[in-house]
């Protein structure tokens, strides 16, 4: 077979299939983590009936959605009603095509495999464009359902999208000005060259982007398009079975995309903390620290569960694991810290940062009440848009002053 065909067609196709097949499973367990964390925050029991501590609950939920009766309201527009969830989920999945989860390539049977599906020089603009298309699915679903609750949810979502798309777009301009490129790989490499994560010089841009992105993904405290207490479930009130699962898949995929973009634009993507400090080279293999921390926390949690002592044993296990991990890494026990596997190191730091932002999503959901609609509009038009414009102007002036041009 022609090597160029394998390199340019088969390998990207395999990467797309891996993303499409693995992502739903990841999202299913992300939702279990969310339910567990919210259960802990609200001092109530989370799912724990199906499997050990509820570990098989996501599988049971997936089976339920697959076999559930697909109900289409009698007076709805059947074609648009069916089309809407598809229109929502496809842009969400397509956005993942330009997300790089590591910097170094690896070889597989002699062929180079890059840790991203593609890298284009307008990747950031592509992400802004493709993520804007998902709103059409919500609007179509709300209108085609022939339900006042669904229509109100869709109208709210449209206004929210228009209001927050502007500060979101302005917030990323500062990063592009500093990096001099819109390529996601190029932006991370620019941060490596500068020796600093862009969250420091672009703290205002980060704040504007993340707040606007939460609003764009319709998550708490900006979940007004769903607003169970007011609109039942908003735009997807009339949906069930696989069609509802598509909306669900799109929402969580968008959360992952937003967390990935924040990681790449502001937190160095796959770079370790302080990437240019040679004395911290042992952080390249950060899993050497995280693994003992995880094991220590898990052992402490089990001990606390069996003895009824609550969380203190878990905290103690975490500290012991942290000390053990840092000792292993700094002393380079067994030569593990000196291992050079750039793709593994990059993937570790990338997914760790993305996981922290996904946890932040859950934390916000468990902490903040829903905004009123006038508060939502005020925040977007009176605060975020002016702040993001000031950030662009300030970034331009800073570049002029410090570059001496």
């Amino acid at each position: 077979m022609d090597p160029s065909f394998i390199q340019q067609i088969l390998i990207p196709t395999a990467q797309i299939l891996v993303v499409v097949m693995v992502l739903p499973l990841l999202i299913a367990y992300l939702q279990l983590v969310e339910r567990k964390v919210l259960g802990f925050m609200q001092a109530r029991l989370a799912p724990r009936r199906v499997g050990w501590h509820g570990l098989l609950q996501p599988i049971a939920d997936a089976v339920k959605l697959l076999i559930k009766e697909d109900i289409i309201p009698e007076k709805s527009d059947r074609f648009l009603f069916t089309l809407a969830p598809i229109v929502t989920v496809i842009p969400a999945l397509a956005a993942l095509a330009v997300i790089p989860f590591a910097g170094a390539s690896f070889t597989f049977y002699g062929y180079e495999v890059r840790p991203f599906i593609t890298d284009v020089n307008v990747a950031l603009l592509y992400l802004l464009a493709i993520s804007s298309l998902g709103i059409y699915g919500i609007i179509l679903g709300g209108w085609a359902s022939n339900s006042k609750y669904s229509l109100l949810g869709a109208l709210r979502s449209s206004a929210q999208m228009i209001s927050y798309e502007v500060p979101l777009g302005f917030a990323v301009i500062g990063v592009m000005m500093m990096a001099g490129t819109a390529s996601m790989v190029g932006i991370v490499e620019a941060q490596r060259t500068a020796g600093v994560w862009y969250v420091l010089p672009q703290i205002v841009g980060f704040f504007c982007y993340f707040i606007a992105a939460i609003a764009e993904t319709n998550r708490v405290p900006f979940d007004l398009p769903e607003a169970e207490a007011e609109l039942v479930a908003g735009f997807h009130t009339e949906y069930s079975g696989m069609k509802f699962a598509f909306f669900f898949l799109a929402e969580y995929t968008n959360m992952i995309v937003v967390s990935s973009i924040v990681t790449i634009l502001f937190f160095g993507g796959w770079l370790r903390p302080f990437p240019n400090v040679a004395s911290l080279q042992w952080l390249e293999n950060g899993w050497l620290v995280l693994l003992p921390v995880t094991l220590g926390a898990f052992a402490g949690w089990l001990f606390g569960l069996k003895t009824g002592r609550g969380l203190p044993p878990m905290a103690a296990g975490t500290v012991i694991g942290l000390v053990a991990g840092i000792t292993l890494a700094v002393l380079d026990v067994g030569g593990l810290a000196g291992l050079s596997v750039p793709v593994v190191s990059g993937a570790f730091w990338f997914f760790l940062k993305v996981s922290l932002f996904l946890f932040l999503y859950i934390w916000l959901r468990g902490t903040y009440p829903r905004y009123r609609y006038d508060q939502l509009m005020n925040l977007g038009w009176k605060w975020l848009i002016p702040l993001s414009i000031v950030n662009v102007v300030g970034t331009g002036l800073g570049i002029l002053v410090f570059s001496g041009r």
Side-chain angles (χ1 to χ4, degrees):
M1 189 175 291
D2 185 4
S4 63
F5 177 78
I6 296 176
Q7 190 72 55
Q8 296 174 11
I9 304 295
L10 282 189
I11 291 179
T13 304
Q15 289 175 308
I16 293 170
L17 289 176
V18 168
V19 168
V20 172
M21 294 172 69
V22 172
L23 190 70
L25 186 63
L26 289 178
I27 287 176
Y29 276 91
L30 171 62
Q31 213 257 344
L32 177 64
V33 171
E34 180 174 24
R35 295 168 74 179
K36 289 281 188 184
V37 172
L38 290 177
F40 173 75
M41 288 180 174
Q42 297 164 355
R44 60 176 173 78
L45 291 177
R48 52 189 299 149
R49 296 284 185 185
V50 187
W52 187 71
H53 281 271
L55 280 179
L56 297 179
Q57 185 67 47
I59 308 298
D61 288 340
V63 172
K64 180 191 74 174
L65 288 171
L66 282 171
I67 63 176
K68 201 170 185 179
E69 182 183 1
D70 183 23
I71 300 173
I72 299 179
E74 185 179 355
K75 295 185 178 178
S76 66
D77 186 316
R78 298 179 70 88
F79 174 70
L80 293 182
F81 188 82
T82 303
L83 181 66
I86 299 172
V87 171
T88 304
V89 78
I90 287 179
L93 293 174
L96 293 168
V98 295
I99 300 292
F101 65 84
S105 304
F106 61 95
T107 57
F108 185 75
Y109 286 98
Y111 293 98
E112 181 189 18
V113 179
R114 298 185 298 175
F116 43 81
I117 296 173
T118 186
D119 175 36
V120 292
N121 59 0
V122 291
L124 197 49
L125 301 179
Y126 165 80
L127 283 171
L128 289 175
I130 199 78
S131 60
S132 302
L133 295 180
I135 188 66
Y136 288 108
I138 293 177
I139 297 171
L140 286 176
W143 183 82
S145 297
N146 194 29
S147 160
K148 57 186 176 184
Y149 297 119
S150 302
L151 183 60
L152 281 172
L155 290 174
R156 282 187 178 187
S157 185
S158 307
Q160 195 164 315
M161 174 78 178
I162 292 169
S163 302
Y164 282 81
E165 189 73 10
V166 180
L168 188 139
F170 275 122
V172 303
I173 290 177
V175 172
M176 285 194 287
M177 291 168 72
M178 294 189 68
T181 178
S183 158
M184 303 301 272
V185 176
I187 289 171
V188 176
E189 292 300 333
Q191 292 176 76
R192 186 203 300 274
T193 304
V196 62
W197 291 353
Y198 283 163
V199 68
L200 295 178
Q202 288 292 311
I203 185 67
V204 176
F206 163 66
F207 173 78
C208 293
Y209 179 83
F210 195 59
I211 299 297
I214 293 173
E216 292 253 317
T217 48
N218 298 328
R219 294 283 299 184
V220 175
F222 308 119
D223 62 331
L224 284 94
E226 298 175 20
E228 295 91 347
E230 305 162 32
L231 303 178
V232 188
F235 61 91
H236 58 68
T237 299
E238 304 296 337
Y239 281 89
S240 60
M242 280 305 296
K243 294 189 180 72
F244 170 77
F246 274 18
F247 278 124
F248 182 82
L249 180 65
E251 177 180 331
Y252 280 79
T253 303
N254 284 328
M255 285 169 57
I256 293 173
V257 170
V258 165
S259 300
S260 301
I261 294 174
V262 170
T263 297
I264 291 168
L265 298 190
F266 300 101
F267 288 87
W270 59 84
L271 303 178
R272 64 174 170 82
F274 308 104
N276 295 333
V277 178
S279 59
L280 295 178
Q281 182 63 29
W282 54 273
L283 281 174
E284 280 292 333
N285 293 313
W287 51 270
L288 263 180
V289 179
L290 185 67
L291 187 60
V293 168
T294 306
L295 291 176
F298 182 68
W301 173 73
L302 273 182
F303 182 75
L305 198 66
K306 296 291 183 186
T307 59
R309 297 186 179 182
L311 291 179
M314 182 177 172
T318 304
V319 173
I320 293 172
L322 181 64
V323 173
I326 293 177
T327 305
L328 281 173
V330 173
L331 298 180
D332 194 12
V333 177
L336 292 175
L339 287 176
S340 180
V341 191
V343 69
V344 175
S345 172
F348 168 79
W349 283 111
F350 179 79
F351 287 117
L352 179 65
K353 295 171 189 176
V354 170
S355 301
L356 291 176
F357 281 106
L358 289 173
F359 176 77
L360 187 55
Y361 262 107
I362 299 170
W363 192 0
L364 290 175
R365 180 178 176 186
T367 306
Y368 282 93
R370 182 180 303 121
Y371 270 48
R372 287 199 323 262
Y373 206 75
D374 60 312
Q375 292 173 328
L376 178 81
M377 291 294 115
N378 283 339
L379 179 65
W381 289 98
K382 294 183 179 177
W383 292 97
L384 290 186
I385 292 178
L387 261 181
S388 56
I389 293 175
V390 168
N391 180 61
V392 172
V393 175
T395 302
L397 291 175
I399 291 174
L400 284 176
V401 170
F402 290 107
S403 67
R405 283 181 283 179

